[in-house]
Amino acid sequence: NSTKYQYDLVVIGGGSGGLAAAKEAVELGAKVAVFDYVTPSPRGSKWGLGGTCVNVGCIPKKLMHQAALLGEAIHEAAAFGWQIPGEPKSIINDWDSLKNAVQNHIKSVNWVTRVELRNKNVDYINGNGYFKDNHTVVGVMKNGDEKVVTADKIIIAVGGRPRYPDIPGALEYGITSDDIFSLDHAPGKTLIVGAGYIGLECAGFLNGLGYDATIMVRSIVLRGFDQQMANLVAEEMEQRGVHFIYQAKPKAVKKQDDGRLMVHWVDKNGEMHQDIYDTILFAIGREALTVQLKPENAGVQILQENKKIFAENEQTNVSNIFAVGDVLHKRPELTPVAIHAGKLLARRLFGNSVEQMDYTNVATTVFSPLEYGCVGMGEEDAITHYGKENIEVYHAFYKPTEFFIPQKNMSHCYVKVIALNNADERIVGMHFIGPHAGEVIQGFSAAIKCKLTFPILKSTVGIHPTSAEEFTRVFITKSSGMDPTPQS
Ligand code: FAD
Ligand code: NA7
């Protein structure tokens, strides 16, 4: 332990990445403090320790997605012989119960997290941290007091918060993912602005819960993802009743006398439109919380374009200051990425490890009503990277067994495998749309790490009857022009 400073390590930000790094460092004998502070959202939402994922991200999102899937299951159950008392409702009766159940789960996680830090002897400081110099962090506490600590090493893990568009009424009347999971009234007819994965997921569960949901798309759906898959996800959502307004930008939000919101928007031809909603949710991307850190006091450089930090091997331009998680430039904004990078960084700093984080081939899933999981490259990226002539795309539409009896729409259940067409036929991308996509794709991401090739995939015996087995059966190449729809 260094004696020059109070702590060996101070972590600013108690979310996925920061907590993982802090817990690992303390296990390795370091003296550690974590600052975590949540500035209330413009609508006043606030939450406890644990960061975005636990409080306003992955966890509440997955729970609301699950609530929506259950609504779907109730309707299907009758086809399987279940007698459901009364008419199945097409809208959730009780938003409050759902919201409270979700919030209670979150509060229990907040509490467990605090206890865990205490048990591990990590000092938790509920203060808004900023740099005084490259070894000193000041935390502004709720009552305005300042707590000053010094540390040998500092990790920035402050994550980000949703952005608002710069249009009249947006900040005043709009909400974001920071508010939806704790909303104290049912959202009603909702406009979701932004067609990234957060926008799609929110629209998907709101529609599944029975609320009228519309997505306003500025350009394309799911930028950065394989566009064929993205469009299949959107088509399926549209068939389930989500409305899409394409090529449009919001211009103003006004509150009417009856409390509802009038949204004005402009289409690609410059024509103005308007409609009335109960809720408007902005999901137009997130902003890293770096400026508030006063990084200039420590000499830490942030990128002008997006306020993120470029940190090769998680080390910033200041040698004793590091960064993990969503604040990192050009790294996937995902919880397991932040956790893994945080752990490995702590092991390098305090445990003589040399293992670096591998940010390639990280699997992810969009929890849209029909889920989309993928690992590796999309078709467009593979073509750009390897050239169209050097890849082969295998694909198939398929029919999940559990969809037959309730006669669910199967037209968007689809798998795609992208492989190199050289000697070893290494697989560079796998894409799956269907039920439980995350569960399906996780194992394949380990296979890709083991350099999975197309012949090995073909020689893998499937598990019948599952949707995942479709990956082992895929044989139709796009270049053959053969019909990829099931022939039986
Ligand atoms: P965070 O978890 O955001 O933690 C940062 C913490 O630092 C916060 O508590 C913040 O309040 C605090 N803080 C900020 N500034 C300061 C300061 N100056 N002083 C003290 N404390 C400060 N990822 C997935 O892998 N799967 C998903 O399904 C998924 N779904 C998501 C759904 C939504 C709606 C959202 C918004 C995100 C989702 N994510 C998902 C992304 C995931 O939540 C993030 O990638 C992850 O939380 C990033 O972790 P982090 O440690 O970088 O930051
Ligand atoms: P993303 O993935 O950055 O997507 C933002 C979406 O919002 C995207 O469809 C954008 O369209 C759209 N957008 C951005 N700015 C505007 C404005 N001003 N008006 C209308 N629409 C806009 O953000 P998410 O919130 O889904 O996710 C945030 C991150 O969390 C994401 O990077 C994940 O990795 C984790 P565009 O395609 O730019 O035209």
Side-chain angles (χ1 to χ4, degrees):
N1 288 0
S2 57
T3 46
K4 203 166 155 201
Y5 305 104
Q6 287 164 277
Y7 291 98
D8 300 313
L9 174 68
V10 159
V11 179
I12 315 177
S16 309
L19 290 176
K23 289 188 272 187
E24 194 70 13
V26 103
E27 293 286 340
L28 293 165
K31 188 167 183 329
V32 182
V34 173
F35 283 90
D36 190 63
Y37 190 87
V38 179
T39 306
S41 76
R43 297 303 296 271
S45 307
K46 49 183 195 276
W47 50 89
L49 177 63
T52 303
C53 170
V54 168
N55 294 286
V56 286
C58 333
I59 301 299
K61 176 278 293 291
K62 183 80 188 283
L63 295 173
M64 294 223 169
H65 174 61
Q66 174 64 10
L69 292 182
L70 284 172
E72 211 178 308
I74 292 171
H75 284 90
E76 288 165 33
F80 286 92
W82 285 98
Q83 291 182 5
I84 313 285
E87 272 293 292
K89 293 255 172 13
S90 59
I91 185 161
I92 191 160
N93 324 52
D94 193 351
W95 166 265
D96 258 11
S97 293
L98 170 62
K99 185 257 298 176
N100 290 340
V102 168
Q103 291 303 316
N104 287 340
H105 173 71
I106 293 170
K107 291 203 173 73
S108 75
V109 178
N110 295 148
W111 192 77
V112 168
T113 309
R114 280 186 83 146
V115 171
E116 200 186 358
L117 288 189
R118 197 178 311 136
N119 290 347
K120 285 185 187 283
N121 287 323
V122 174
D123 289 343
Y124 161 52
I125 303 166
N126 187 201
N128 203 359
Y130 69 89
F131 284 105
K132 191 161 170 228
D133 60 48
N134 69 322
H135 285 287
T136 313
V137 177
V138 181
V140 183
M141 317 299 275
K142 225 174 264 162
N143 62 5
D145 286 356
E146 293 204 334
K147 183 161 174 92
V148 183
V149 302
T150 59
D152 183 23
K153 297 184 171 67
I154 296 169
I155 298 179
I156 301 171
V158 291
R161 292 290 286 270
R163 285 196 302 117
Y164 279 82
D166 189 12
I167 58 167
L171 256 183
E172 237 175 310
Y173 306 122
I175 65 164
T176 67
S177 55
D178 279 357
D179 310 295
I180 185 74
F181 305 111
S182 58
L183 207 62
D184 62 9
H185 56 275
K189 180 179 169 189
T190 303
L191 176 69
I192 295 101
V193 180
Y197 85 86
I198 294 174
L200 258 60
E201 289 179 340
C202 290
F205 72 69
L206 289 175
N207 174 66
L209 295 172
Y211 302 109
D212 185 313
T214 302
I215 302 184
M216 187 172 285
V217 187
R218 180 170 71 173
S219 55
I220 54 170
V221 167
L222 288 178
R223 177 185 302 286
F225 287 86
D226 183 295
Q227 281 301 296
Q228 184 197 5
M229 306 306 284
N231 290 326
L232 287 171
V233 168
E235 275 171 29
E236 169 74 23
M237 288 180 68
E238 201 154 2
Q239 283 187 4
R240 288 174 181 237
V242 177
H243 313 289
F244 283 81
I245 306 174
Y246 281 100
Q247 313 279 306
K249 278 188 273 191
K251 283 287 167 197
V253 185
K254 290 179 190 143
K255 196 168 199 156
Q256 305 193 128
D257 292 342
D258 62 1
R260 302 186 81 198
L261 302 172
M262 171 75 83
V263 181
H264 300 263
W265 75 86
V266 60
D267 68 19
K268 65 175 188 302
N269 303 318
E271 272 173 41
M272 291 297 297
H273 304 261
Q274 62 189 50
D275 201 353
I276 295 163
Y277 298 90
D278 299 302
T279 300
I280 172 163
L281 187 153
F282 294 104
I284 63 166
R286 298 173 61 82
E287 199 164 68
L289 288 177
T290 48
V291 176
Q292 298 85 329
L293 282 175
K294 304 191 182 169
E296 63 284 0
N297 291 351
V300 175
Q301 285 163 9
I302 59 171
L303 297 170
Q304 215 42 52
E305 54 188 289
N306 59 6
K307 314 277 186 285
K308 290 199 172 192
I309 296 173
F310 176 79
E312 188 95 44
N313 301 329
E314 294 82 39
Q315 186 170 34
T316 71
N317 62 302
V318 179
S319 65
N320 71 311
I321 301 180
F322 303 81
V324 294
D326 284 6
V327 284
L328 288 179
H329 182 56
K330 290 224 157 109
R331 299 300 190 203
E333 294 181 18
L334 294 169
T335 272
V337 170
I339 292 176
H340 208 75
K343 264 191 198 163
L344 293 183
L345 173 62
R347 285 180 201 161
R348 293 198 304 278
L349 296 181
F350 300 104
N352 299 319
S353 163
V354 291
E355 190 182 347
Q356 297 290 354
M357 174 70 187
D358 178 4
Y359 289 95
T360 59
N361 291 326
V362 173
T364 188
T365 289
V366 180
F367 292 93
S368 37
L370 194 59
E371 299 168 5
Y372 165 38
C374 60
V375 56
M377 288 183 187
E379 198 171 330
E380 294 87 353
D381 284 353
I383 290 171
T384 309
H385 198 261
Y386 294 107
K388 197 172 171 51
E389 64 288 2
N390 296 318
I391 62 165
E392 194 67 87
V393 178
Y394 299 86
H395 66 157
F397 287 93
Y398 68 96
K399 297 178 171 178
T401 314
E402 58 271 41
F403 280 30
F404 282 102
I405 288 178
Q407 294 180 8
K408 287 179 72 167
N409 175 26
M410 311 185 182
S411 61
H412 301 108
C413 294
Y414 180 73
V415 292
K416 170 151 98 176
V417 176
I418 304 163
L420 302 182
N421 62 8
N422 59 12
D424 75 346
E425 299 178 58
R426 192 160 56 79
I427 292 175
V428 295
M430 295 179 83
H431 301 262
F432 174 96
I433 294 181
H436 311 296
E439 317 298 337
V440 169
I441 211 76
Q442 178 71 86
F444 286 108
S445 73
I448 285 199
K449 268 207 164 298
C450 300
K451 306 208 177 345
L452 179 66
T453 64
F454 193 69
I456 293 178
L457 181 65
K458 287 300 297 171
S459 72
T460 304
V461 177
I463 303 171
H464 191 63
T466 65
S467 298
E469 72 175 321
E470 300 301 333
F471 271 131
T472 67
R473 291 155 46 113
V474 72
F475 70 96
I476 296 174
T477 60
K478 267 199 177 175
S479 58
S480 73
M482 273 171 74
D483 181 5
T485 53
Q487 301 304 304
S488 56

